[in-house]
Amino acid sequence: MESRSFHPLLLFCMILILMPDTAYGAMDPEEVEGIKREAPLHVIGSVESDVLVKDLSTDNSPKQLRKMRLSVQEYRKAPGSVNRERSIEVFYTYIPSWVAMAGGSRMDIYEGDEIELWLDKGEYGWEPAAAGNTVEHLSYVEDRKEPIPEPKTHAAKETFNENLGVLVMGGFVIALLFFIFLSRRWVTPKERR
């Protein structure tokens, strides 16, 4: 009889162990719209070039400061001090798509993309007002290459981590079934009635 009350406790412990402990969130859409309204420069254009300015990578976090040259097709909003040049330089922080990221949207820029940008003055010059949240693709080049390719060791580690939960859960299920089988064998025929 004691073994039956132990099963729900064991199941509860398994659920607690396997619950995810990380949650990722995006910016509130109303907040993004407010940032876009307040951005001093709003342009539409196509990406002429995209180059590395500075590597900002650390041991656990690959990222780069990059600069795109944008061929401006339309100035939707611009302060009076801005010369409406045919092209402008935009600086941004690039984080590879294979790195888990919390918070806002990442910058996904490639030569030939047509984009709409809401920009603000930053440390290096014009920068997206809220990273990838203030960049909208109007057309997207399909055949893209990552400026920082995913290392084979990272890909193998991610594959292992993706399947680790299945292996652990499978082990728990087998152990639970084995425990139930053994506990039923230890119960005498009188206790089964």
Side-chain angles (χ1 to χ4, degrees):
M1 215 49 180
E2 290 178 22
S3 65
R4 288 186 188 196
S5 62
F6 183 70
H7 296 296
L9 180 63
L10 186 61
L11 182 62
F12 179 72
C13 288
M14 284 180 17
I15 290 171
L16 284 178
I17 290 170
L18 297 175
M19 276 179 46
D21 60 352
T22 304
Y24 298 104
M27 290 179 73
D28 181 15
E30 290 178 19
E31 183 180 359
V32 172
E33 289 305 314
I35 292 169
K36 286 178 177 180
R37 278 192 301 275
E38 292 175 15
L41 185 59
H42 177 192
V43 297
I44 294 176
S46 61
V47 179
E48 291 179 342
S49 66
D50 178 42
V51 296
L52 172 67
V53 174
K54 186 177 182 182
D55 188 16
L56 305 172
S57 299
T58 62
D59 291 339
N60 299 335
S61 176
K63 63 182 171 180
Q64 298 175 340
L65 175 64
R66 299 187 69 82
K67 175 178 69 174
M68 74 172 104
R69 178 159 290 283
L70 188 72
S71 174
V72 180
Q73 297 164 355
E74 180 183 350
Y75 281 88
R76 292 235 167 136
K77 178 182 173 186
S81 61
V82 170
N83 295 331
R84 294 179 182 235
E85 299 175 13
R86 186 185 89 60
S87 65
I88 60 172
E89 291 181 344
V90 178
F91 293 84
Y92 69 95
T93 302
Y94 161 75
I95 298 172
S97 64
W98 47 268
V99 173
M101 187 176 109
S105 298
R106 70 181 76 241
M107 294 291 296
D108 183 19
I109 302 298
Y110 201 75
E111 289 180 26
D113 286 349
E114 287 193 28
I115 55 178
E116 183 172 4
L117 285 156
W118 289 262
L119 303 167
D120 205 351
K121 273 290 188 186
E123 182 180 350
Y124 299 97
W126 289 111
E127 298 176 358
N133 290 317
T134 51
V135 177
E136 291 182 12
H137 279 81
L138 305 175
S139 72
Y140 193 82
V141 173
E142 292 299 325
D143 190 21
R144 304 167 91 80
K145 293 180 183 168
E146 290 268 2
I148 303 175
E150 183 176 18
K152 291 187 187 328
T153 55
H154 183 270
K157 181 179 161 187
E158 286 300 309
T159 301
F160 177 77
N161 287 339
E162 287 173 10
N163 295 317
L164 183 62
V166 173
L167 294 171
V168 169
M169 183 57 104
F172 276 129
V173 168
I174 289 169
L176 182 62
L177 291 173
F178 186 70
F179 179 76
I180 291 170
F181 175 73
L182 285 179
S183 66
R184 297 211 32 91
R185 295 200 69 197
W186 285 336
V187 176
T188 62
K190 287 182 181 179
E191 291 175 335
R192 288 186 188 163
R193 292 182 196 162

